[in-house]
Amino acid sequence: MAHSGDLASRGIECGDVKLNLEKMMGEKSKAVGALTGGIKMLFKGNKVTHLEGHGKITGPNQVSVLGPNGEVTEVVNTKNIMIATGSEVTPFPGIEVDEETIVSSTGALSLKEVPEKMIVIGAGVIGVELGSVWSRLGTQVTAVEFMGHVGGMGIDMDMSKQFQRIMTKQGLKFKLNTKVTGAKKEGGKITVSVESVKDGKVEDMVADVLLVCVGRRPYTQNLGLEELGIELDNRGRVPVNSRFQSVLPNVYAIGDCIAGPMLAHKAEDEAIISAEGMVGGPVHIDYNCVPSVVYTHPELAWVGKSEEDLKSEGVEYSVGKFPFAANSRAKCNNDTDGLVKILGDKHTDRLLGAHIIGPGAGEMINEAALAMEYGASCEDIARVCHAHPTCSEAFREANLAAWSGKAINNM
């Protein structure tokens, strides 16, 4: 804010503003420590036994804990087993990550200094998030993406274009429809070779840091699954039924190691529901109501169907949009980039999808998820009183536009 002149325009004059990266990283480590420490306290408070090591299923009702050298340190016999091993960074063929100058998302959170130039392989969620962080700290960031859009899978293409425009205005550069063919270290720099998917044009790019963000893969190796007859799918995921049971009814799996988006909140819901199912409770989850968030500034969030989804499904729909440039709270905060876009059923008015770029989009999207879970119409939301001035009024206005064809506070 100080660097952009935003503070000065508001009458707050600052001296020489500097970044102390070491202190910033220290605060990050403290936050991580507090969060992981909180999990340990929850374990203790709920009488959950914590065993450290590599867990391997060694029988239908048995899990062995392996030490650093592969030796069995403990054996646990149990009625049910839940696989919740998550995921790991997907390696890029031919490029070796050293977590210093060629880094994964893990190493990108622990760089010792702000690089002058950074190349990001992948302009999906994680690539854009981390690229935007270092861009705001002063790095010249270029993201190379094989696909023709930013934001990854599931994003509404209209919102992807808006999002790319905002990120570009902030200083990020994108090379879309471009594949990386190799990378090598030369004289303290990294030379990245790229090729256009459309015309085959090749180019060498030079950077101080190369961030590899081509996705994540399920962590399902060496868990003893194959020995028990649990076969993985072609992406290394554990196939499960609607109750999250594998081919062995007492072996369950949830989260990143099964099908679906790799999201922590999706995994948490699956864990709760499958645990309830183990003791006879109902098991239900509507994946259409699981929101996605890109934690940039402004944030990008969505839940439900995109326009592309509805077109492919042959569903007739109405669109309602409301820009944050017309929202009182956003204007007062001088934070007006973005909009709310609502998709409603053309005949029933049921809310089918919500897409938000703007301040607090990750918080606001939960109102849409709640509305969709209860089958609300756009009119239902439009008739709910929203506090003024708040950014969430834009969500109401967009629903009003989808239902009636016109918002109140925008021409």
Side-chain angles (χ1 to χ4, degrees):
M1 292 176 72
H3 179 72
S4 66
D6 188 39
L7 289 179
S9 68
R10 295 169 186 266
I12 302 173
E13 298 179 357
C14 301
D16 189 17
V17 179
K18 295 180 179 179
L19 169 69
N20 187 321
L21 186 61
E22 185 178 355
K23 283 190 176 181
M24 178 181 281
M25 290 296 181
E27 286 299 304
K28 178 215 70 174
S29 298
K30 281 170 60 178
V32 171
L35 291 170
T36 54
I39 295 295
K40 290 182 179 179
M41 288 297 294
L42 287 171
F43 274 14
K44 186 177 180 180
N46 290 281
K47 299 179 181 179
V48 177
T49 303
H50 180 204
L51 303 175
E52 291 195 22
H54 179 93
K56 186 171 184 178
I57 304 173
T58 47
N61 299 95
Q62 186 182 84
V63 176
S64 296
V65 182
L66 309 182
N69 298 318
E71 75 282 6
V72 177
T73 59
E74 195 153 357
V75 175
V76 181
N77 293 305
T78 179
K79 179 181 178 181
N80 294 308
I81 298 170
M82 181 185 289
I83 302 168
T85 47
S87 59
E88 61 183 348
V89 172
T90 301
F92 193 95
I95 298 179
E96 185 176 347
V97 171
D98 59 20
E99 299 297 19
E100 291 183 359
T101 55
I102 300 179
V103 300
S104 67
S105 55
T106 303
L109 293 171
S110 302
L111 295 178
K112 300 294 189 297
E113 59 184 16
V114 178
E116 182 182 348
K117 292 183 179 181
M118 173 186 285
I119 293 173
V120 183
I121 304 179
V125 173
I126 299 174
V128 176
E129 285 177 341
L130 290 173
S132 73
V133 168
W134 288 105
S135 175
R136 278 179 275 161
L137 293 177
T139 302
Q140 298 175 39
V141 177
T142 301
V144 181
E145 171 58 51
F146 182 81
M147 300 175 71
H149 69 273
V150 306
M153 302 297 291
I155 190 172
D156 184 275
M157 289 299 105
D158 174 31
M159 299 300 276
S160 175
K161 291 174 184 176
Q162 299 269 6
F163 183 57
Q164 182 183 344
R165 190 176 301 121
I166 292 170
M167 291 295 104
T168 301
K169 186 172 70 173
Q170 292 181 5
L172 271 74
K173 295 179 180 178
F174 297 95
K175 294 184 76 68
L176 306 180
N177 296 302
T178 303
K179 64 180 180 181
V180 173
T181 57
K184 56 185 177 181
K185 295 181 181 179
E186 293 179 321
K189 301 284 185 178
I190 301 164
T191 301
V192 181
S193 300
V194 301
E195 179 183 330
S196 170
V197 175
K198 290 185 174 180
D199 58 18
K201 181 182 178 182
V202 296
E203 178 186 355
D204 283 343
M205 305 169 63
V206 179
D208 303 287
V209 171
L210 174 62
L211 169 56
V212 181
C213 275
V214 292
R216 300 183 67 82
R217 63 183 182 184
Y219 189 85
T220 50
Q221 297 302 310
N222 195 29
L223 299 182
L225 303 179
E226 291 83 354
E227 292 89 330
L228 286 176
I230 300 176
E231 295 184 1
L232 304 176
D233 69 10
N234 60 353
R235 295 188 181 182
R237 302 173 299 193
V238 180
V240 294
N241 62 17
S242 61
R243 301 183 68 85
F244 303 101
Q245 294 168 300
S246 68
V247 291
L248 295 183
N250 70 306
V251 178
Y252 297 73
I254 57 100
D256 289 2
C257 57
I258 69 171
M262 291 184 171
L263 300 168
H265 45 281
K266 173 255 195 187
E268 182 179 10
D269 272 25
E270 290 173 340
I272 294 169
I273 294 164
S274 61
E276 289 175 341
M278 288 180 192
V279 295
V283 177
H284 169 73
I285 182 171
D286 185 351
Y287 287 109
N288 190 53
C289 295
V290 175
S292 296
V293 183
V294 183
Y295 295 98
T296 48
H297 185 85
E299 293 177 347
L300 165 64
W302 68 89
V303 65
K305 304 292 187 179
S306 66
E307 280 203 67
E308 289 68 35
D309 293 332
L310 297 176
K311 287 175 182 176
S312 67
E313 294 169 11
V315 177
E316 292 186 302
Y317 61 93
S318 57
V319 180
K321 294 182 179 181
F322 192 84
F324 281 103
N327 174 263
S328 300
R329 182 70 175 271
K331 285 197 284 189
C332 290
N333 292 343
N334 195 23
D335 198 4
T336 57
D337 281 337
L339 74 156
V340 179
K341 176 180 177 179
I342 296 297
L343 303 175
D345 188 289
K346 190 172 183 178
H347 303 288
T348 68
D349 191 42
R350 183 169 181 157
L351 176 62
L352 300 177
H355 307 265
I356 308 172
I357 302 172
E363 303 292 340
M364 211 180 306
I365 200 65
N366 298 300
E367 181 179 354
L370 179 63
M372 288 179 60
E373 280 282 8
Y374 283 88
S377 68
C378 298
E379 180 185 0
D380 289 334
I381 300 165
R383 290 191 180 279
V384 172
C385 184
H386 286 59
H388 173 81
T390 59
C391 290
S392 61
E393 288 178 282
F395 180 71
R396 181 191 191 185
E397 294 267 16
N399 275 278
L400 178 59
W403 161 54
S404 69
K406 190 179 187 305
I408 291 177
N409 292 288
N410 190 39
M411 296 299 293

